[in-house]
Amino acid sequence: MSGSAEETRAPLPTARELLARHGLSPKKSLGQNFLVDTRVQERIVAAAALSAEDVVVEIGAGLGALTTRLLGRAGNLIAIERDARLAEILRVELGAAPNLRIVEGDALEFDLTAAARAAGRPLVVVGNLPYVVTSPVIFATLAAAAGGRAVDRAIFMVQKEFAQRMLSPPGGRAYGRLSVMVQQAALAEILFHVGAGAFLPPPAVTSTVVRLRPREQPLGEVSDGNLFALVVREAFGTRRKMLRRALEPAFGSGRALAALAAAGIDPTRRAEELSVADFARLAKALAHA
Ligand code: SAM
């Protein structure tokens, strides 16, 4: 099915109108800051560079601001929304579109790999992400991309500080587990920043739109992705500690020291000083230590 519903669909009422009509107010606990700036909506959808073959998964469709624009460009769209009140509005306003499937539920329980298999192609994932689940959504997206080649690209709006952590190089204050895991699995770019005035209600922070393109091969060569993830987690678990101490609880002192030596990493260094390639070498050495 293609997105030909666009020409016949009436424009969606504004977020303010929809909330008033249904007697609703935004839920802070679900990160409901609705994007009301139409130019920003358009820029996000343009960044997805969609064609009629694309199958898009939208995380947190809300009142449909991005949904309605995505519908006109994508072949098919799966819109996930956790808030039953908003899912009902989406069904009423957009449910007639032949290329839209509305999933009422938690995006973290949605199986991207199965959806890509059913679609017969890797997905495009888009979302003005609720800040409460930003990290797990990004980790799930990267895992689906790595394991099953289920995701071709993702366009996410996140808090600016979160985007900076994703892209931070080693040594910086923002560099941490998120930076290593994202950079290992994907090419991440900051596309543009969005001020609080673009949202209803305005959040306390600036937002940033990022694009993730999962790598065909991880940046650092590893034989065991789970071990890599464990090493990174343990190393940053106590980021102020020297690596030999930080790795000791999970791997034991002897094994940690042997692996650090085999990887050519000074055991007195700290996690925040290691590059992604260093972590990969360390994980490989631990697999054999
Ligand atoms: N896409 C809309 C927009 O841009 O205006 C809404 C974005 S709002 C920042 C985040 C949306 O995600 C809200 O509608 C919220 O109810 C929804 N949400 C929160 N947690 C969710 C979850 N775990 N799974 C799916 N949707 C969720």
Side-chain angles (χ1 to χ4, degrees):
M1 264 180 280
S2 82
S4 58
E6 166 110 305
E7 300 82 49
T8 50
R9 209 173 41 244
L12 197 64
T14 65
R16 205 178 287 279
E17 284 164 356
L18 284 170
L19 290 171
R21 191 186 294 174
H22 295 269
L24 301 178
S25 48
K27 267 193 194 165
K28 207 174 171 184
S29 62
L30 286 176
Q32 289 177 357
N33 299 97
F34 300 107
L35 180 62
V36 292
D37 185 321
T38 54
R39 280 170 311 171
V40 178
Q41 293 168 3
E42 186 50 38
R43 285 182 79 185
I44 292 174
V45 173
L50 296 172
S51 76
E53 282 76 51
D54 281 315
V55 178
V56 178
V57 173
E58 186 192 359
I59 313 272
L63 292 163
L66 298 175
T67 322
T68 185
R69 289 173 189 272
L70 292 165
L71 266 177
R73 317 271 173 89
N76 283 285
L77 173 61
I78 302 167
I80 310 173
E81 174 51 55
R82 182 168 191 172
D83 187 333
R85 310 167 312 163
L86 304 188
E88 178 57 20
I89 294 177
L90 290 169
R91 282 191 289 269
V92 170
E93 298 292 339
L94 299 171
N99 58 335
L100 173 65
R101 181 178 143 213
I102 297 166
V103 176
E104 182 183 324
D106 185 347
L108 296 176
E109 285 169 14
F110 184 80
D111 188 339
L112 289 167
T113 306
R117 207 178 303 123
R121 55 186 295 119
L123 308 166
V124 182
V125 185
V126 177
N128 169 13
L129 294 185
Y131 72 93
V132 268
V133 290
T134 302
S135 271
V137 164
I138 287 178
F139 280 110
T141 303
L142 294 176
R149 304 251 172 272
V151 178
D152 181 71
R153 58 196 183 277
I155 312 293
F156 288 139
M157 175 126 69
V158 300
Q159 294 188 357
K160 182 179 174 188
E161 176 265 335
F162 190 93
Q164 288 168 335
R165 281 169 48 212
M166 287 166 76
L167 274 90
S168 175
R173 258 196 314 144
Y175 187 67
R177 177 175 168 234
L178 180 71
S179 330
V180 177
M181 296 307 291
V182 166
Q183 293 168 32
Q184 166 75 347
L187 280 165
E189 2 161 24
I190 285 182
L191 299 183
F192 54 91
H193 302 294
V194 182
F199 301 89
L200 176 78
V205 294
T206 299
S207 301
T208 297
V209 177
V210 295
R211 178 162 45 211
L212 299 177
R213 295 180 193 275
R215 298 177 190 274
E216 296 229 331
Q217 298 297 331
L219 179 58
E221 194 197 325
V222 288
S223 47
D224 180 344
N226 291 333
L227 182 59
F228 177 84
L230 177 64
V231 173
V232 174
R233 197 179 65 207
E234 292 297 314
F236 282 107
T238 47
R239 59 187 286 146
R240 298 262 156 254
K241 278 194 187 169
M242 291 184 287
L243 283 165
R244 56 190 291 247
R245 293 251 174 269
L247 298 175
E248 198 181 301
F251 301 104
S253 174
R255 189 174 168 209
L257 279 172
L260 285 161
I265 297 169
D266 180 344
T268 65
R269 289 173 79 193
R270 290 169 172 76
E272 61 207 25
E273 301 168 46
L274 262 54
S275 68
V276 174
D278 289 334
F279 277 110
R281 274 203 331 282
L282 181 54
K284 272 176 96 175
L286 273 164
H288 298 111

